[in-house]
């Protein structure tokens, strides 16, 4: 019985890790090292809960919720304000990607507060409803709507006309 649970968890973690990592990269504005740490923390917490996973309707959505909460907890720490001086890409980007557009969007996301960034990622990257986003962040639906409107306005302000120029290529 115990071996089958471990195997189920291993399969779950293998299938969800890449998706969690992509979401974590967006939450962290492209900080791949922090994203990896957040995914590890999320998968560790999911492992601890895996025996009770039968009570969770959607383990994948629950893992996303855990990821967002890990991110918000990290951003509350004082050490979260430290920034690296230089960033180099970890891998070559596929030819279909536009690195300038990606960097512009990640930079704009980085200008948002952690909670605003979490709302944008959950609502528009994860395509979650307002209620699902509110549940993941442990806030009211009205707070999610307010944060989404303000965050999108800040993104438009930060990107200005540069997004149109980058997307037109």
């Amino acid at each position: 019985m115990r071996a089958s649970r471990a195997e189920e968890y291993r399969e779950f973690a293998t299938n969800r890790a890449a998706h969690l990592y992509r979401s974590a990269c967006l939450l962290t504005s492209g900080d791949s090292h922090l994203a990896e740490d957040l995914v590890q923390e999320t998968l560790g917490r999911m492992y601890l809960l895996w025996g009770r996973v039968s009570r969770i309707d959607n383990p994948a959505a629950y893992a996303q919720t855990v990821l967002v909460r890990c991110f918000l907890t990290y951003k509350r720490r004082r050490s979260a304000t430290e920034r690296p001086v230089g960033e180099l890409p970890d891998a070559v980007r596929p030819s279909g990607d536009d690195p300038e557009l990606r960097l512009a969007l990640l930079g704009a996301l980085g200008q948002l507060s952690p909670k605003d960034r979490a709302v944008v990622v959950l609502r528009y990257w994860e395509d979650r409803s307002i209620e699902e986003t509110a549940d993941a962040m442990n806030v009211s639906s009205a707070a999610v709507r307010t944060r989404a409107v303000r965050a999108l306005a800040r993104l438009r302000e930060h990107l200005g006309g540069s997004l149109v120029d980058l997307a037109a290529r």
Side-chain angles (χ1 to χ4, degrees), residues 32-159:
S32 61
H33 301 292
L34 176 56
E36 290 170 355
D37 291 345
L38 291 172
V39 171
Q40 279 297 110
E41 179 73 20
T42 299
L43 291 175
R45 289 183 185 189
M46 288 299 294
Y47 180 77
L48 293 174
L49 295 170
W50 198 253
R52 295 177 274 166
V53 80
S54 62
R55 288 186 261 159
I56 299 172
D57 291 335
N58 187 346
Y62 188 75
Q64 289 296 127
T65 299
V66 171
L67 176 71
V68 169
R69 289 182 181 168
C70 287
F71 167 72
L72 293 174
T73 299
Y74 171 81
K75 292 308 276 185
R76 284 188 208 109
R77 295 184 194 136
R78 287 182 186 222
S79 63
T81 59
E82 297 174 2
R83 297 282 175 236
V85 277
E87 292 184 30
L88 297 173
D90 290 338
V92 177
R93 301 196 189 279
S95 60
D97 252 352
D98 184 0
E100 289 181 40
L101 177 60
R102 178 183 295 258
L103 290 174
L105 290 173
L106 287 174
L109 277 173
Q111 298 297 316
L112 298 176
S113 72
K115 288 184 179 181
D116 287 349
R117 195 175 324 145
V119 166
V120 169
V121 169
L122 289 172
R123 285 282 294 134
Y124 303 106
W125 172 256
E126 294 292 326
D127 198 28
R128 290 194 183 193
S129 69
I130 291 173
E131 291 75 23
E132 290 170 332
T133 303
D135 186 48
M137 294 183 62
N138 205 21
V139 297
S140 69
S141 297
V144 169
R145 283 191 286 276
T146 301
R147 283 194 177 277
V149 167
R150 290 180 183 164
L152 291 176
R154 283 191 202 110
L155 285 174
R156 285 185 196 103
E157 178 182 305
H158 182 73
L159 292 170

Side-chain angles (χ1 to χ4, degrees), residues 16-33:
R16 295 303 302 167
H19 186 74
L20 288 169
Y21 177 73
R22 286 190 299 270
S23 296
C25 279
L26 289 173
L27 287 170
T28 62
S29 298
D31 185 347
S32 61
H33 301 292

Side-chain angles (χ1 to χ4, degrees), residues 98 101 161-169:
D98 184 0
L101 177 60
S162 65
L163 185 61
V164 174
D165 297 338
L166 289 170
R169 291 185 205 172

